Amino acid sequence: MSMQRTRSEALYEEALKHIVGGVNSPSRSFKAVGGGAPVFMKRAEGAYFYDVDDNRYIDYLAAYGPIITGHAHPHITEAIVCAAQNGTLYGTPTELEIQMARMLKEAIPSLDKVRFVNSGTEAVMTTIRVARAFTKRNKIIKFAGCYHGHSDLVLVAAGSGPSTLGIPDSAGIPTSIAQEVITVPFNNLPALKEALERWGDDTAAVMIEPIVGNFGMVMPEPGFLEGVCKLTREAGALVIYDEVITAFRFHYGTTQTFNVFPDFKAIEPDLTALGKIIGGGLPIGAYGGRKEIMEQVAPLGPAYQAGTMAGNPASISAGIACLEVLQEAGIYDRMNDLATLLADGLRASASKHGIPLTINQIRGSFSTHFCNHPVTNYDEAQDTNGDVFGRFFKLMLEQGINLAPSKYEAWFLTTAHTKEDIEVTLAAAEIAFSKL
Ligand SMILES: Cc1ncc(COP(=O)(O)O)c(C=O)c1O
Ligand SMILES: NCC(=O)CCC(=O)O
């Protein structure tokens, strides 16, 4: 193992002089995995990354989820080139936006109306504003460790990047705003019930990742989602599903029509936030829901939301192309099969070397937790060995396997990964486990 990354190291030194922390999203920093220079990539194709020192990596980061068809998928690339040739931004409506809205509505029946924005953060932020406008209430309930982007209200007890870097409650958020958010543990209905008994009259919405992707991948326990929706609605509040990660990740649709696991109950929320995959790798977000709620939004209603870049033809074209690729029969089963092969192999290899490892797999994605207990909530996800994860991460990277530099983030399979990629990854993991 003697991978050279001298150019990445030099670029990192340079980046530190100009860009805060050297990175344009804190999740990209190696702070939580023992430090050092993050790898500077220069090209990506299919399941592979190529760095500035010409090392090749098998990629399981998938850019934190969006790249489900692999990098530079020809159909998506062609759509982006075509969009660019016709002008990337109009500031006027386009027919493409209608086509994309129709595609989303067909796949997600709870969307009577949608609105496109530029990121998952914007989508979530606006669902909260719309829920508050509709209910004329103020408070939001969220679940500990769920990450909903970086708008003020949801940066309380946030998982993912904030937890990775030890700042789940961000500085810069006035107490008056933080007071409007109540946090309860995931998979704990009595806690939600108690919160609603106390604050239900002023609760506008309960925000949830229906399947968690931000303190590892975590399934709701049987009855949990039903309970959340029932209790929320009894309190007169709205249910908001944050499906920024989950939409089009496990099947062609959201968790709202996901019927693969007998114990999982597909339920329609009042509002849904979308992002990541639906942009085919370009910036996008979207939110939508019941007609009478969405009609709170300007220009129809009093809740304001806007965007210079919103619905731009490049992002929308990439999104349409990505959804077209994902309609191919068998595509999700193939990702599931490869993820199963990989997760089973990792478990066997870790066990052989006496390394405690819990893997939560959901179809084509899974999370690795260095612990010997199940991970069903944020506390259990925190109570895992971050140092061992950090060493595992670095040992895998040295062997050309790219993971997210955080114990909370998932491994994502793409349509580009092959059985050979899995075999190479397992061989690398065997060496990594033997050295931990
Ligand atoms: C569930 C969830 N919601 C919202 C977001 C925010 O999306 P973005 O990073 O596009 O702003 C993320 C991003 O990781 C996410 O995982
Ligand atoms: N699961 C969390 C993310 O995907 C965050 C990515 C980022 O903010 O860079």
Side-chain angles (χ1 to χ4, degrees):
M1 278 193 234
S2 58
M3 184 185 272
Q4 288 295 313
R5 284 201 300 270
T6 48
R7 179 126 181 88
S8 266
E9 284 153 16
L11 287 177
Y12 182 51
E13 286 303 311
E14 191 60 21
L16 284 170
K17 295 182 201 157
H18 312 289
I19 298 170
V20 60
V23 287
N24 278 309
S25 188
S27 316
R28 299 173 198 172
S29 136
F30 278 13
K31 206 170 167 183
V33 287
V39 186
F40 281 63
M41 299 297 175
K42 68 173 178 195
R43 196 166 77 77
E45 191 179 352
Y48 309 119
F49 260 147
Y50 301 85
D51 74 9
V52 289
D53 293 282
D54 290 324
N55 300 301
R56 193 191 85 157
Y57 304 80
I58 302 175
D59 179 34
Y60 295 99
L61 176 68
Y64 292 87
I67 306 297
I68 191 168
T69 60
H71 297 279
H73 189 286
H75 185 59
I76 300 177
T77 304
E78 194 189 327
I80 296 171
V81 169
C82 178
Q85 283 167 341
N86 286 311
T88 49
L89 189 63
Y90 301 162
T92 73
T94 64
E95 193 170 345
L96 283 170
E97 293 162 282
I98 306 174
Q99 188 188 342
M100 176 85 180
R102 279 211 190 104
M103 287 176 96
L104 290 181
K105 285 181 55 171
E106 274 163 27
I108 312 170
S110 70
L111 306 181
D112 293 335
K113 294 271 176 73
V114 301
R115 184 50 85 68
F116 291 107
V117 290
N118 302 303
S119 65
T121 294
E122 273 185 71
V124 167
M125 179 181 79
T126 315
T127 58
I128 294 174
R129 184 175 308 139
V130 174
R132 286 168 142 182
F134 184 75
T135 59
K136 304 197 169 40
R137 296 170 172 193
N138 293 316
K139 292 199 188 307
I140 296 294
I141 299 182
K142 77 178 283 287
F143 294 89
C146 284
Y147 177 69
H148 301 290
H150 63 92
S151 65
D152 282 359
L153 271 167
V154 287
L155 266 189
V156 174
S160 185
S163 292
T164 305
L165 297 168
I167 38 178
D169 301 307
S170 172
I173 296 172
T175 318
S176 58
I177 289 182
Q179 277 166 352
E180 302 299 344
V181 187
I182 298 128
T183 307
V184 295
F186 195 81
N187 275 329
N188 186 334
L189 272 186
L192 176 65
K193 194 159 183 281
E194 210 180 302
L196 283 167
E197 274 162 10
R198 182 138 177 225
W199 291 286
D201 288 351
D202 193 29
T203 298
V206 174
M207 165 82 61
I208 188 165
E209 290 185 75
I211 292 176
V212 177
N214 279 302
F215 50 86
M217 303 295 302
V218 174
M219 285 298 275
E221 284 167 357
F224 180 64
L225 278 183
E226 293 98 302
V228 168
C229 293
K230 185 167 175 286
L231 292 171
T232 303
R233 286 171 173 150
E234 280 170 6
L238 301 185
V239 177
I240 305 177
Y241 272 12
D242 180 349
E243 301 237 32
V244 168
I245 288 186
T246 52
F248 302 96
R249 165 52 54 192
F250 311 121
H251 76 137
Y252 190 85
T254 57
T255 68
Q256 302 164 33
T257 50
F258 186 51
N259 55 15
V260 177
F261 301 134
D263 275 351
F264 181 83
K265 180 102 171 82
I267 302 178
E268 291 199 346
D270 301 298
L271 286 167
T272 302
L274 302 166
K276 298 210 189 236
I277 288 174
I278 66 158
L282 260 55
I284 206 165
Y287 66 94
R290 290 210 329 259
K291 183 169 176 291
E292 65 273 26
I293 304 173
M294 288 301 287
E295 288 184 350
Q296 294 296 313
V297 179
L300 295 187
Y304 199 72
Q305 176 272 311
T308 303
M309 304 288 166
N312 72 79
S315 293
I316 299 287
S317 298
I320 291 171
C322 180
L323 296 186
E324 283 167 352
V325 174
L326 294 175
Q327 285 170 2
E328 186 190 313
I331 215 162
Y332 284 97
D333 287 338
R334 283 206 297 281
M335 285 187 276
N336 176 61
D337 293 347
L338 290 180
T340 304
L341 196 65
L342 183 50
D344 287 349
L346 289 172
R347 281 189 197 99
S349 185
S351 155
K352 182 174 139 194
H353 293 284
I355 310 283
L357 180 66
T358 293
I359 297 189
N360 287 358
Q361 186 197 343
I362 304 169
R363 303 282 283 163
S365 55
F366 59 82
S367 50
T368 41
H369 306 267
F370 286 90
C371 64
N372 49 20
H373 55 76
V375 172
T376 65
N377 60 34
Y378 182 44
D379 282 350
E380 289 165 356
Q382 282 182 301
D383 184 19
T384 59
N385 197 324
D387 292 340
V388 173
F389 175 82
R391 276 187 280 132
F392 177 72
F393 167 86
K394 288 265 176 80
L395 287 164
M396 294 298 272
L397 191 70
E398 284 292 302
Q399 300 178 83
I401 311 295
N402 187 64
L403 311 176
S406 161
K407 69 174 190 168
Y408 296 109
E409 304 289 352
W411 300 45
F412 292 115
L413 272 291
T414 72
T415 62
H417 286 95
T418 62
K419 197 158 175 269
E420 290 66 47
D421 295 328
I422 304 303
E423 283 159 7
V424 171
T425 307
L426 286 174
E430 173 71 17
I431 293 174
F433 288 132
S434 77
K435 294 189 168 187
L436 280 180

